[in-house]
Amino acid sequence: MAVFSSKGVVVISVPILVLSVAAAAILLFLLLSATFSSSPTCSCPPPTSGIGQSQRISPSPEDLRWVKAQIDANGLHMHQNVLRKGINPRTRQQQLQDLLHSVLPLGLYVSPFRQAGLDDMTQSRFLLFVQVQDADNHTALPCPGELLVEEHHSNYGEPWAGGRDVFEFLAESIHLTPNSQVLEIGCGTLRVGLHFIRYLNPGHYHCLERDELSLMAALRYELPSQGLLSKRPLIVRGDDMHFSRFGDDAKYNLTYASAVFLHMPDKLVWIGLEQLVSRLKPLEGRIFVSHNIKFCSRLGGEECTKRLNDLGIEFLRKRIHDSLLFNHYEIWFEFRRFKA
């Protein structure tokens, strides 16, 4: 408490002094809180660990306007391509030949074995020797020279960049989430599959592919180069359209075949559809087939519809996808399982 001394001086006791300091500190805290709360909120988006279900996958109109503005701002125009210093003028085939000559004798296993003329027994012994001697060395894995010059990027008739375009269309068509299960029939060298693997949770992308070099490109080159080995996609070699090797528990939100059914006998396609029905989520799951469905149309409309219905599948619609990257459109046919 405050008291007056005999000389008229005010003397403040210690408890009163402590309480006064505490009250001043509380008042200052309240004033600062009010000041910060009235300031504008930060418009920066909060950090996220991944793409959520509500976030957009394909470019927005604002994205397209931005990239066009960047092209205009930099004065970029399409000129005739001219080879010049700083851009490799060699074709992939020329690069491959240079590689084969420069890496020998290591080329015995880095390049295709047929280039070295080794029989099967010698190949097996050599690879076993390399793996035993240097099991922890990444270079102990065989990598054909075709992959090292990225020849596999030109094997499928469309620019490699088209894979992103197909991914965006399919992902938004089914409202893809990281927890979705996806099966690709004929994933090739993962032109499309890489984007699904990157987006989905580990183990949620499956693929059936028959071509050996394509599988080598996927497993030995594309997955490591994109840092996606930890996503553990299940990629199986086969052309029999039997999916038991993917396990009994897989229920797919999306199964798609991009220009694959065109090259298969109709009978095999129908075998595949019969196998797929029980693995597709009822109502929610989708099958997408690109280009045409001659396996169906060759039967005639009524017969095709009846056969699909007998399997528990119904045709929903034909969809035309306008490509963002190229001056063309792609036709996709959408099916779903309607029976539980």
Side-chain angles (χ1 to χ4, degrees):
M1 58 181 291
V3 296
F4 288 93
S5 67
S6 58
K7 297 181 180 181
V9 178
V10 179
V11 179
I12 300 176
S13 65
V14 173
I16 294 297
L17 182 61
V18 172
L19 288 175
S20 301
V21 171
I26 293 172
L27 181 60
L28 179 61
F29 173 76
L30 293 174
L31 289 173
L32 289 175
S33 300
T35 303
F36 282 117
S37 63
S38 61
S39 60
T41 343
C42 175
S43 59
C44 307
T48 57
S49 57
I51 301 177
Q53 181 178 1
S54 61
Q55 290 182 281
R56 187 183 182 96
I57 291 176
S58 63
S60 66
E62 290 75 18
D63 294 332
L64 300 183
R65 285 193 289 270
W66 176 83
V67 74
K68 289 178 181 177
Q70 295 303 304
I71 292 172
D72 292 339
N74 284 287
L76 303 180
H77 303 283
M78 293 301 296
H79 297 293
Q80 182 179 359
N81 290 329
V82 178
L83 294 177
R84 57 190 185 271
K85 186 176 181 181
I87 294 182
N88 194 340
R90 297 173 301 159
T91 64
R92 286 196 171 113
Q93 186 60 36
Q94 291 169 330
Q95 293 176 54
L96 177 57
Q97 292 306 313
D98 290 347
L99 181 67
L100 295 177
H101 286 99
S102 64
V103 300
L104 289 174
L106 290 178
L108 290 175
Y109 81 93
V110 174
S111 60
F113 289 117
R114 64 175 181 274
Q115 299 285 343
L118 300 181
D119 57 35
D120 292 341
M121 182 63 70
T122 307
Q123 293 176 29
S124 300
R125 287 174 178 170
F126 183 82
L127 280 177
L128 180 61
F129 170 78
V130 171
Q131 291 166 359
V132 170
Q133 293 294 316
D134 205 2
D136 294 329
N137 189 341
H138 291 176
T139 60
L141 294 173
C143 189
E146 288 94 331
L147 306 187
L148 298 180
V149 298
E150 299 183 349
E151 193 174 272
H152 59 285
H153 283 186
S154 303
N155 287 348
Y156 288 88
E158 283 191 55
W160 183 257
R164 175 72 193 186
D165 202 60
V166 173
F167 162 71
E168 290 177 1
F169 165 71
L170 293 174
E172 294 201 333
S173 295
I174 68 157
H175 307 293
L176 188 76
T177 71
N179 203 42
S180 298
Q181 292 272 359
V182 174
L183 168 67
E184 180 174 3
I185 302 173
C187 59
T189 55
L190 298 181
R191 186 171 65 101
V192 180
L194 282 175
H195 303 284
F196 278 104
I197 294 168
R198 184 178 294 109
Y199 178 85
L200 295 171
N201 290 333
H204 281 227
Y205 173 86
H206 295 174
C207 161
L208 182 68
E209 171 59 49
R210 69 176 185 176
D211 184 64
E212 184 176 9
L213 184 60
S214 294
L215 288 172
M216 182 66 85
L219 295 168
R220 183 66 187 95
Y221 187 92
E222 293 301 332
L223 290 176
S225 70
Q226 299 293 322
L228 296 175
L229 291 173
S230 63
K231 286 302 190 85
R232 300 295 192 270
L234 181 53
I235 300 174
V236 175
R237 185 182 182 187
D239 57 2
D240 52 9
M241 294 292 281
H242 289 284
F243 303 101
S244 58
R245 285 167 290 180
F246 295 106
D248 298 327
D249 299 330
K251 297 294 182 183
Y252 298 111
N253 301 82
L254 169 66
T255 297
Y256 69 97
S258 179
V260 173
F261 288 174
L262 309 176
H263 310 294
M264 296 172 57
D266 291 356
K267 182 179 179 181
L268 187 57
V269 176
W270 283 105
I271 289 174
L273 291 175
E274 184 177 1
Q275 296 283 327
L276 280 172
V277 174
S278 62
R279 298 174 177 273
L280 198 67
K281 290 189 176 182
L283 302 179
E284 175 189 347
R286 294 290 188 271
I287 298 175
F288 275 82
V289 179
S290 74
H291 291 69
N292 65 58
I293 49 172
K294 289 185 177 179
F295 67 90
C296 191
S297 58
R298 276 190 279 255
L299 295 175
E302 291 184 4
E303 178 61 26
C304 176
T305 301
K306 179 180 181 303
R307 191 162 180 179
L308 287 172
N309 289 342
D310 289 344
L311 293 177
I313 301 174
E314 63 178 337
F315 171 69
L316 290 181
R317 62 179 74 85
K318 179 173 78 171
R319 304 183 62 159
I320 297 179
H321 168 53
D322 289 321
S323 173
L324 169 66
L325 295 173
F326 315 113
N327 296 323
H328 71 248
Y329 62 87
E330 200 167 51
I331 297 175
W332 288 85
F333 298 85
E334 181 180 357
F335 303 82
R336 73 170 176 177
R337 174 186 174 188
F338 65 86
K339 292 182 180 178

